[in-house]
PDB file of all heavy atoms in Angstrom:
ATOM      1  N   ASN A  37      47.860 194.007  74.737  1.00 92.00           N
ATOM      2  CA  ASN A  37      48.088 195.182  73.877  1.00 92.00           C
ATOM      3  C   ASN A  37      49.512 195.270  73.438  1.00 92.00           C
ATOM      4  O   ASN A  37      49.896 194.948  72.198  1.00 92.00           O
ATOM      5  CB  ASN A  37      47.812 196.477  74.717  1.00 92.00           C
ATOM      6  CG  ASN A  37      48.003 197.748  73.827  1.00 92.00           C
ATOM      7  OD1 ASN A  37      48.164 197.717  72.680  1.00 92.00           O
ATOM      8  ND2 ASN A  37      48.086 198.848  74.425  1.00 92.00           N
ATOM      9  N   LEU A 174      49.359 202.168  95.176  1.00 96.00           N
ATOM     10  CA  LEU A 174      47.963 202.255  95.323  1.00 96.00           C
ATOM     11  C   LEU A 174      47.431 203.614  94.824  1.00 96.00           C
ATOM     12  O   LEU A 174      46.466 203.759  94.124  1.00 96.00           O
ATOM     13  CB  LEU A 174      47.504 201.821  96.653  1.00 96.00           C
ATOM     14  CG  LEU A 174      47.523 200.361  96.979  1.00 96.00           C
ATOM     15  CD1 LEU A 174      47.335 200.065  98.407  1.00 96.00           C
ATOM     16  CD2 LEU A 174      46.491 199.629  96.234  1.00 96.00           C
ATOM     17  N   VAL A 176      48.889 205.825  93.003  1.00 96.00           N
ATOM     18  CA  VAL A 176      49.169 206.018  91.634  1.00 96.00           C
ATOM     19  C   VAL A 176      48.043 205.197  90.771  1.00 96.00           C
ATOM     20  O   VAL A 176      47.387 205.721  89.756  1.00 96.00           O
ATOM     21  CB  VAL A 176      50.457 205.618  91.229  1.00 96.00           C
ATOM     22  CG1 VAL A 176      50.590 205.499  89.659  1.00 96.00           C
ATOM     23  CG2 VAL A 176      51.545 206.700  91.672  1.00 96.00           C
ATOM     24  N   PHE A 191      38.005 216.082  80.549  1.00 95.00           N
ATOM     25  CA  PHE A 191      38.059 217.516  80.247  1.00 95.00           C
ATOM     26  C   PHE A 191      37.894 218.384  81.423  1.00 95.00           C
ATOM     27  O   PHE A 191      38.165 219.602  81.334  1.00 95.00           O
ATOM     28  CB  PHE A 191      37.128 217.913  79.152  1.00 95.00           C
ATOM     29  CG  PHE A 191      37.301 217.337  77.755  1.00 95.00           C
ATOM     30  CD1 PHE A 191      36.440 216.461  77.120  1.00 95.00           C
ATOM     31  CD2 PHE A 191      38.513 217.689  77.131  1.00 95.00           C
ATOM     32  CE1 PHE A 191      36.716 215.827  75.942  1.00 95.00           C
ATOM     33  CE2 PHE A 191      38.778 217.251  75.887  1.00 95.00           C
ATOM     34  CZ  PHE A 191      37.825 216.264  75.187  1.00 95.00           C
ATOM     35  N   GLU A 248      23.544 220.110  79.904  1.00 92.00           N
ATOM     36  CA  GLU A 248      23.930 221.546  79.639  1.00 92.00           C
ATOM     37  C   GLU A 248      24.220 221.621  78.146  1.00 92.00           C
ATOM     38  O   GLU A 248      23.840 222.712  77.490  1.00 92.00           O
ATOM     39  CB  GLU A 248      25.244 221.970  80.389  1.00 92.00           C
ATOM     40  CG  GLU A 248      24.916 222.033  82.010  1.00 92.00           C
ATOM     41  CD  GLU A 248      24.171 223.299  82.338  1.00 92.00           C
ATOM     42  OE1 GLU A 248      23.889 224.073  81.498  1.00 92.00           O
ATOM     43  OE2 GLU A 248      23.990 223.499  83.532  1.00 92.00           O
ATOM     44  N   ARG A 481      40.376 235.390  92.101  1.00 80.00           N
ATOM     45  CA  ARG A 481      41.283 234.458  92.445  1.00 80.00           C
ATOM     46  C   ARG A 481      40.968 233.233  91.573  1.00 80.00           C
ATOM     47  O   ARG A 481      39.859 232.704  91.703  1.00 80.00           O
ATOM     48  CB  ARG A 481      41.192 234.061  93.798  1.00 80.00           C
ATOM     49  CG  ARG A 481      42.252 233.110  94.394  1.00 80.00           C
ATOM     50  CD  ARG A 481      42.244 233.105  95.944  1.00 80.00           C
ATOM     51  NE  ARG A 481      43.287 232.222  96.417  1.00 80.00           N
ATOM     52  CZ  ARG A 481      42.934 231.040  97.006  1.00 80.00           C
ATOM     53  NH1 ARG A 481      41.636 230.754  97.247  1.00 80.00           N
ATOM     54  NH2 ARG A 481      43.941 230.235  97.359  1.00 80.00           N
ATOM     55  N   GLN A 600      82.173 214.816  54.256  1.00 75.00           N
ATOM     56  CA  GLN A 600      83.030 214.047  55.055  1.00 75.00           C
ATOM     57  C   GLN A 600      82.974 214.256  56.536  1.00 75.00           C
ATOM     58  O   GLN A 600      83.260 213.389  57.315  1.00 75.00           O
ATOM     59  CB  GLN A 600      84.556 214.555  54.551  1.00 75.00           C
ATOM     60  CG  GLN A 600      84.833 215.899  54.765  1.00 75.00           C
ATOM     61  CD  GLN A 600      85.301 216.428  53.479  1.00 75.00           C
ATOM     62  OE1 GLN A 600      84.926 216.281  52.424  1.00 75.00           O
ATOM     63  NE2 GLN A 600      86.453 217.249  53.607  1.00 75.00           N
ATOM     64  N   ALA A 740      90.670 203.683  43.850  1.00 87.00           N
ATOM     65  CA  ALA A 740      90.858 203.188  42.365  1.00 87.00           C
ATOM     66  C   ALA A 740      92.054 202.245  42.471  1.00 87.00           C
ATOM     67  O   ALA A 740      92.001 201.049  41.812  1.00 87.00           O
ATOM     68  CB  ALA A 740      91.011 204.299  41.503  1.00 87.00           C
ATOM     69  N   LEU A 773     106.199 204.002  46.390  1.00 84.00           N
ATOM     70  CA  LEU A 773     105.447 205.059  47.274  1.00 84.00           C
ATOM     71  C   LEU A 773     105.959 205.171  48.712  1.00 84.00           C
ATOM     72  O   LEU A 773     106.080 206.338  49.108  1.00 84.00           O
ATOM     73  CB  LEU A 773     103.955 204.602  47.276  1.00 84.00           C
ATOM     74  CG  LEU A 773     103.200 204.602  45.993  1.00 84.00           C
ATOM     75  CD1 LEU A 773     101.836 204.046  46.124  1.00 84.00           C
ATOM     76  CD2 LEU A 773     102.982 206.163  45.665  1.00 84.00           C
ATOM     77  N   PRO A 788      97.555 208.153  31.613  1.00 84.00           N
ATOM     78  CA  PRO A 788      96.229 208.133  30.711  1.00 84.00           C
ATOM     79  C   PRO A 788      96.142 206.891  29.823  1.00 84.00           C
ATOM     80  O   PRO A 788      94.853 206.507  29.798  1.00 84.00           O
ATOM     81  CB  PRO A 788      96.462 209.466  29.851  1.00 84.00           C
ATOM     82  CG  PRO A 788      97.391 210.215  30.611  1.00 84.00           C
ATOM     83  CD  PRO A 788      98.300 209.332  31.332  1.00 84.00           C
ATOM     84  N   ASN A 813      93.165 190.010  25.407  1.00 86.00           N
ATOM     85  CA  ASN A 813      93.947 191.077  24.753  1.00 86.00           C
ATOM     86  C   ASN A 813      94.088 192.199  25.438  1.00 86.00           C
ATOM     87  O   ASN A 813      95.190 192.809  25.367  1.00 86.00           O
ATOM     88  CB  ASN A 813      93.092 191.404  23.410  1.00 86.00           C
ATOM     89  CG  ASN A 813      93.199 190.212  22.500  1.00 86.00           C
ATOM     90  OD1 ASN A 813      93.868 189.257  22.700  1.00 86.00           O
ATOM     91  ND2 ASN A 813      92.116 190.208  21.519  1.00 86.00           N
ATOM     92  N   PHE A 868      80.937 191.127  43.289  1.00 82.00           N
ATOM     93  CA  PHE A 868      81.989 191.524  42.434  1.00 82.00           C
ATOM     94  C   PHE A 868      81.594 192.526  41.349  1.00 82.00           C
ATOM     95  O   PHE A 868      82.129 193.546  41.109  1.00 82.00           O
ATOM     96  CB  PHE A 868      82.505 190.281  41.800  1.00 82.00           C
ATOM     97  CG  PHE A 868      83.484 190.412  40.752  1.00 82.00           C
ATOM     98  CD1 PHE A 868      84.931 190.646  41.113  1.00 82.00           C
ATOM     99  CD2 PHE A 868      83.106 190.590  39.379  1.00 82.00           C
ATOM    100  CE1 PHE A 868      85.795 190.844  40.104  1.00 82.00           C
ATOM    101  CE2 PHE A 868      84.160 190.790  38.407  1.00 82.00           C
ATOM    102  CZ  PHE A 868      85.396 190.987  38.722  1.00 82.00           C
ATOM    103  N   ILE A 878      83.736 205.404  38.755  1.00 83.00           N
ATOM    104  CA  ILE A 878      84.867 206.325  39.226  1.00 83.00           C
ATOM    105  C   ILE A 878      85.716 206.618  38.158  1.00 83.00           C
ATOM    106  O   ILE A 878      86.311 207.789  38.032  1.00 83.00           O
ATOM    107  CB  ILE A 878      85.627 205.723  40.499  1.00 83.00           C
ATOM    108  CG1 ILE A 878      84.662 205.568  41.739  1.00 83.00           C
ATOM    109  CG2 ILE A 878      86.855 206.527  40.834  1.00 83.00           C
ATOM    110  CD1 ILE A 878      85.228 204.753  42.848  1.00 83.00           C
ATOM    111  N   PHE A 934      43.215 205.197  48.078  1.00 93.00           N
ATOM    112  CA  PHE A 934      42.402 205.416  46.912  1.00 93.00           C
ATOM    113  C   PHE A 934      41.940 204.098  46.401  1.00 93.00           C
ATOM    114  O   PHE A 934      42.800 203.276  46.321  1.00 93.00           O
ATOM    115  CB  PHE A 934      43.177 206.268  45.925  1.00 93.00           C
ATOM    116  CG  PHE A 934      43.317 207.664  46.286  1.00 93.00           C
ATOM    117  CD1 PHE A 934      44.612 208.273  46.151  1.00 93.00           C
ATOM    118  CD2 PHE A 934      42.352 208.437  46.782  1.00 93.00           C
ATOM    119  CE1 PHE A 934      44.809 209.722  46.590  1.00 93.00           C
ATOM    120  CE2 PHE A 934      42.493 209.619  47.181  1.00 93.00           C
ATOM    121  CZ  PHE A 934      43.827 210.348  47.075  1.00 93.00           C
ATOM    122  N   ALA A1011      62.775 203.055  62.678  1.00 94.00           N
ATOM    123  CA  ALA A1011      64.159 203.746  62.970  1.00 94.00           C
ATOM    124  C   ALA A1011      64.457 203.272  64.414  1.00 94.00           C
ATOM    125  O   ALA A1011      65.628 202.982  64.661  1.00 94.00           O
ATOM    126  CB  ALA A1011      63.799 205.308  63.147  1.00 94.00           C
ATOM    127  N   LEU A1099      46.017 198.195  57.145  1.00 95.00           N
ATOM    128  CA  LEU A1099      47.098 199.037  57.776  1.00 95.00           C
ATOM    129  C   LEU A1099      47.502 198.324  58.969  1.00 95.00           C
ATOM    130  O   LEU A1099      48.715 198.305  59.242  1.00 95.00           O
ATOM    131  CB  LEU A1099      46.617 200.513  57.987  1.00 95.00           C
ATOM    132  CG  LEU A1099      46.379 201.448  56.799  1.00 95.00           C
ATOM    133  CD1 LEU A1099      45.853 202.634  57.242  1.00 95.00           C
ATOM    134  CD2 LEU A1099      47.551 201.474  55.893  1.00 95.00           C
ATOM    135  N   ARG A1329      37.428 232.645  78.164  1.00 94.00           N
ATOM    136  CA  ARG A1329      38.002 232.879  79.436  1.00 94.00           C
ATOM    137  C   ARG A1329      39.575 232.920  79.367  1.00 94.00           C
ATOM    138  O   ARG A1329      40.276 233.530  80.013  1.00 94.00           O
ATOM    139  CB  ARG A1329      37.584 232.062  80.581  1.00 94.00           C
ATOM    140  CG  ARG A1329      37.815 230.518  80.314  1.00 94.00           C
ATOM    141  CD  ARG A1329      36.991 229.682  81.296  1.00 94.00           C
ATOM    142  NE  ARG A1329      35.578 229.720  80.891  1.00 94.00           N
ATOM    143  CZ  ARG A1329      34.556 229.578  81.688  1.00 94.00           C
ATOM    144  NH1 ARG A1329      34.757 229.233  82.931  1.00 94.00           N
ATOM    145  NH2 ARG A1329      33.282 229.512  81.242  1.00 94.00           N
ATOM    146  N   ASP A1330      40.091 231.855  78.461  1.00 94.00           N
ATOM    147  CA  ASP A1330      41.409 231.691  78.359  1.00 94.00           C
ATOM    148  C   ASP A1330      42.108 232.939  77.826  1.00 94.00           C
ATOM    149  O   ASP A1330      43.177 233.359  78.394  1.00 94.00           O
ATOM    150  CB  ASP A1330      41.838 230.544  77.365  1.00 94.00           C
ATOM    151  CG  ASP A1330      40.986 229.217  77.780  1.00 94.00           C
ATOM    152  OD1 ASP A1330      39.780 229.224  77.629  1.00 94.00           O
ATOM    153  OD2 ASP A1330      41.658 228.449  78.329  1.00 94.00           O
ATOM    154  N   ASP A1339      52.462 239.351  81.880  1.00 91.00           N
ATOM    155  CA  ASP A1339      53.048 240.776  82.044  1.00 91.00           C
ATOM    156  C   ASP A1339      52.876 241.554  80.677  1.00 91.00           C
ATOM    157  O   ASP A1339      52.501 240.901  79.660  1.00 91.00           O
ATOM    158  CB  ASP A1339      54.527 240.757  82.436  1.00 91.00           C
ATOM    159  CG  ASP A1339      55.383 240.058  81.285  1.00 91.00           C
ATOM    160  OD1 ASP A1339      55.352 240.573  80.317  1.00 91.00           O
ATOM    161  OD2 ASP A1339      56.005 239.077  81.675  1.00 91.00           O
ATOM    162  N   PHE A1346      51.379 238.122  72.797  1.00 95.00           N
ATOM    163  CA  PHE A1346      50.164 237.215  72.710  1.00 95.00           C
ATOM    164  C   PHE A1346      49.071 237.779  71.850  1.00 95.00           C
ATOM    165  O   PHE A1346      48.672 237.170  70.840  1.00 95.00           O
ATOM    166  CB  PHE A1346      49.637 236.889  74.095  1.00 95.00           C
ATOM    167  CG  PHE A1346      48.294 236.194  74.211  1.00 95.00           C
ATOM    168  CD1 PHE A1346      48.300 234.845  73.630  1.00 95.00           C
ATOM    169  CD2 PHE A1346      47.108 236.841  74.775  1.00 95.00           C
ATOM    170  CE1 PHE A1346      47.053 234.232  73.696  1.00 95.00           C
ATOM    171  CE2 PHE A1346      46.020 236.156  74.777  1.00 95.00           C
ATOM    172  CZ  PHE A1346      45.900 234.793  74.224  1.00 95.00           C
ATOM    173  N   VAL A1473      42.849 219.774  43.331  1.00 59.00           N
ATOM    174  CA  VAL A1473      41.876 220.570  42.743  1.00 59.00           C
ATOM    175  C   VAL A1473      42.518 220.914  41.343  1.00 59.00           C
ATOM    176  O   VAL A1473      43.419 221.708  41.158  1.00 59.00           O
ATOM    177  CB  VAL A1473      41.776 221.957  43.559  1.00 59.00           C
ATOM    178  CG1 VAL A1473      41.002 222.944  42.788  1.00 59.00           C
ATOM    179  CG2 VAL A1473      41.193 221.582  44.956  1.00 59.00           C
ATOM    180  N   VAL A1528      38.868 246.365  45.042  1.00 93.00           N
ATOM    181  CA  VAL A1528      37.567 246.002  44.481  1.00 93.00           C
ATOM    182  C   VAL A1528      37.771 244.945  43.355  1.00 93.00           C
ATOM    183  O   VAL A1528      37.057 243.959  43.393  1.00 93.00           O
ATOM    184  CB  VAL A1528      36.922 247.302  43.807  1.00 93.00           C
ATOM    185  CG1 VAL A1528      35.811 246.910  43.118  1.00 93.00           C
ATOM    186  CG2 VAL A1528      36.527 248.297  44.949  1.00 93.00           C
TER     187      VAL A1528
END
Side-chain angles (χ1 to χ4, degrees):
N37 180 17
L174 281 168
V176 167
F191 288 117
E248 290 285 359
R481 187 163 179 255
Q600 58 229 46
L773 286 170
N813 291 345
F868 176 83
I878 293 174
F934 291 131
L1099 291 178
R1329 62 194 73 208
D1330 305 73
D1339 58 64
F1346 170 62
V1473 177
V1528 170

